[in-house]
């Protein structure tokens, strides 16, 4: 039986249904999108989040856009859809998967001739969705092979079924290793300011009866020092050609303290997160979000209004701090540009 987290993105009765991740774990509430602008808002407002999940939602968004454009102007729908593709593309700038999906959907659009585009594009969107689940299962298998029995692991943010088409990347590795009885304890960072760790990772693991221990972000160094941590396992939003990885803010500091404590550091991501056009992490655009995310919680302010806020929501972990990059095509130990080029050509 699939869990609720595996049903966070569903195409049903000609529209897109999204589990509203802002409401978890207190409320199970779904949002229905019949128009592409509703999908764009859902991505921007974090109803759906996590780089692969954003990409999959956008693929279904393209289907909705094509349907509306084709009804409006059957002869000019390809011109009409361009603005929607641009808006989807820009909805969350750091997620490589979103841009990968838009270019895959654009290729499909170019191949369509006279027919109603909805059926063809829906087929492509469903393929993207299914391929992501399969990739995550492969990532889970490869990653679990690196984990020894009785390991304590720590994860950051939510790189689980909720953040993907299903199964998860970092949580996919943890799920597979747990199923093989290799995991002693899973520590999950709360992940300020959105609390993806507390609200999403803890909920998702417990849905599958996998025990989890929550910690404040600032407790990670102490966990490494006192709890014999084997691995930090995280996902990624975009990986540059040289192996530098953008992921949820706080990942970089985890990698630094992992090095200090001799803890191994795994980045788990499908190859469509690897952006071969971007040479290093310095060239990755980091999304900045509103001050309210830092100074408020659920619209309740707890900091002085006059305080300035800097809220970059991702940071870059340099390749040299990464022990293993785990993809659906295999594992790269100590990633570098050469090794990534070989993997991408395989
Ligand atoms: O801001 P979010 O919640 O979209 O950030 C998500 C992350 O940083 C994840 O770790 C990343 O997208 C990988 S998800 C498989």
């Amino acid at each position: 039986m699939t869990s609720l987290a595996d049903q966070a993105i569903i195409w049903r009765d000609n529209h897109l249904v999204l589990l509203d991740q802002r409401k978890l774990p207190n409320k199970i509430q779904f949002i229905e999108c019949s128009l592409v602008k509703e999908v764009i808002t859902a991505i921007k407002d974090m109803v759906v989040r996590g780089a692969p999940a954003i990409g999959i939602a956008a693929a279904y968004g393209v289907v909705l856009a094509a349907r509306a454009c084709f009804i409006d102007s059957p002869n000019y729908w390809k011109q009409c859809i361009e603005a929607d593709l641009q808006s989807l593309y820009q909805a969350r700038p750091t997620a490589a998967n979103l841009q990968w999906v838009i270019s895959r959907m654009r290729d499909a659009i170019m191949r369509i001739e006279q027919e109603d585009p909805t059926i063809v594009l829906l087929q492509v969107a469903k393929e993207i969705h299914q391929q992501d689940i399969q990739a995550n299962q492969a990532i889970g298998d490869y990653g679990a092979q690196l984990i020894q029995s009785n390991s304590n692991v720590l994860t950051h943010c939510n790189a689980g079924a909720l953040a993907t088409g299903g199964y998860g990347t970092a949580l996919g590795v943890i799920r597979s290793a747990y199923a093989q009885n290799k995991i002693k304890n899973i520590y999950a960072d709360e992940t300020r300011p959105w609390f993806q760790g507390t609200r999403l990772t803890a909920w998702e693991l417990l849905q599958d009866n996998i025990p989890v221990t929550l910690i404040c972000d600032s407790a990670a160094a102490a966990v490494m020092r006192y709890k014999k941590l084997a691995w930090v396992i995280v996902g990624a939003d975009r990986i540059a050609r040289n192996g530098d990885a953008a992921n949820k803010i706080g990942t970089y500091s985890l990698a630094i303290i992992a090095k200090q404590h001799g803890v191994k550091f795994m980045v788990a991501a499908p190859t469509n997160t690897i952006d071969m056009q971007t040479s290093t992490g310095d060239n990755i655009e980091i999304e900045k979000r509103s001050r309210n995310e830092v100074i408020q919680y659920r619209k309740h302010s707890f900091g002085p209004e006059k305080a300035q806020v800097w809220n970059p929501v991702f940071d870059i972990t340099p390749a040299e701090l990464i022990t293993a990059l785990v993809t659906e095509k295999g594992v790269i130990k100590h990633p570098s540009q050469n090794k990534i080029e070989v993997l991408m050509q395989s």
Side-chain angles (χ1 to χ4, degrees):
M1 220 182 69
T2 55
S3 82
L4 256 180
D6 283 312
Q7 297 166 53
I9 306 173
I10 297 175
W11 181 264
R12 191 168 57 216
D13 300 333
N14 295 320
H15 59 265
L16 178 64
V17 182
L18 297 170
L19 176 60
D20 189 344
Q21 299 194 27
R22 299 167 307 177
K23 303 280 163 59
L24 289 172
N26 297 330
K27 266 195 198 147
I28 307 297
Q29 198 167 307
F30 291 87
I31 284 194
E32 299 194 349
C33 305
S34 307
L35 301 170
V36 64
K37 66 175 189 210
E38 294 165 340
V39 180
I40 295 164
T41 305
I43 293 172
K44 286 186 172 164
D45 291 354
M46 312 263 292
V47 170
V48 55
R49 32 63 53 201
I54 293 168
I56 293 162
Y60 290 116
V62 174
V63 177
L64 297 172
R67 183 172 70 196
C69 286
F70 190 72
I71 291 170
D72 259 17
S73 50
N75 295 324
Y76 297 101
W77 70 271
K78 288 190 187 183
Q79 286 93 319
C80 151
I81 203 172
E82 214 23 69
D84 294 328
L85 295 180
Q86 279 304 327
S87 305
L88 280 166
Y89 189 90
Q90 285 156 5
R92 290 209 59 200
T94 308
N97 315 61
L98 174 59
Q99 291 162 15
W100 177 86
V101 160
I102 298 301
S103 68
R104 194 160 157 195
M105 295 304 279
R106 199 179 254 123
D107 288 349
I109 288 169
M110 273 158 52
R111 284 195 303 272
I112 297 172
E113 291 179 353
Q114 303 295 331
E115 72 268 35
D116 177 346
T118 318
I119 299 161
V120 179
L121 293 178
L122 181 58
Q123 188 56 38
V124 181
K126 286 183 173 172
E127 261 169 44
I128 289 170
H129 195 164
Q130 278 314 308
Q131 283 167 3
D132 187 65
I133 299 170
Q134 283 159 10
N136 293 338
Q137 283 161 347
I139 289 169
D141 291 344
Y142 281 124
Q145 285 170 23
L146 301 176
I147 296 175
Q148 302 199 314
S149 51
N150 220 23
S151 288
N152 287 332
V153 300
L154 182 148
T155 190
H156 188 58
C157 194
N158 171 268
L162 288 169
T164 62
Y167 203 71
T169 54
L171 285 195
V173 173
I174 291 173
R175 275 198 168 85
S176 298
Y178 184 82
Q180 295 167 19
N181 284 323
K182 288 178 163 179
I183 302 278
K184 190 170 159 206
N185 283 305
I186 302 164
Y187 294 94
D189 281 347
E190 57 179 349
T191 318
R192 284 275 301 145
W194 266 84
F195 294 102
Q196 287 95 332
T198 311
R199 296 188 305 101
L200 308 179
T201 294
W203 177 81
E204 179 179 327
L205 290 173
L206 291 170
Q207 288 279 306
D208 282 354
N209 297 314
I210 301 177
V212 57
T213 303
L214 279 169
I215 59 164
C216 294
D217 294 334
S218 44
V223 164
M224 293 191 203
R225 188 169 176 107
Y226 302 119
K227 300 287 183 185
K228 285 211 170 78
L229 205 68
W231 283 96
V232 173
I233 307 175
V234 295
D237 278 73
R238 188 181 295 261
I239 298 170
R241 193 163 73 220
N242 70 341
D244 293 350
N247 191 50
K248 180 52 54 194
I249 191 79
T251 305
Y252 175 37
S253 40
L254 283 176
I256 293 169
I257 52 178
K259 184 177 179 198
Q260 166 72 17
H261 294 89
V263 173
K264 287 175 279 191
F265 194 91
M266 184 190 299
V267 174
T271 46
N272 59 29
T273 306
I274 301 175
D275 173 5
M276 295 303 280
Q277 309 305 316
T278 297
S279 54
T280 74
D282 288 341
N283 301 315
I284 296 178
E285 183 182 350
I286 300 292
E287 179 186 358
K288 314 277 187 316
R289 292 182 66 91
S290 88
R291 58 177 274 114
N292 287 347
E293 293 186 350
V294 175
I295 213 157
Q296 296 183 342
Y297 184 67
R298 296 206 190 279
K299 302 209 165 115
H300 171 75
S301 285
F302 53 79
E305 278 309 309
K306 283 192 179 153
Q308 291 174 37
V309 171
W310 184 55
N311 184 20
V313 299
F314 302 103
D315 57 23
I316 306 291
T317 299
E320 73 220 40
L321 296 178
I322 299 172
T323 316
L325 169 61
V326 179
T327 75
E328 79 284 8
K329 292 187 173 190
V331 174
I332 298 179
K333 297 225 175 114
H334 305 290
S336 65
Q337 177 161 332
N338 279 349
K339 293 180 193 173
I340 289 181
E341 278 169 2
V342 172
L343 177 92
M344 294 303 271
Q345 278 154 20
S346 66

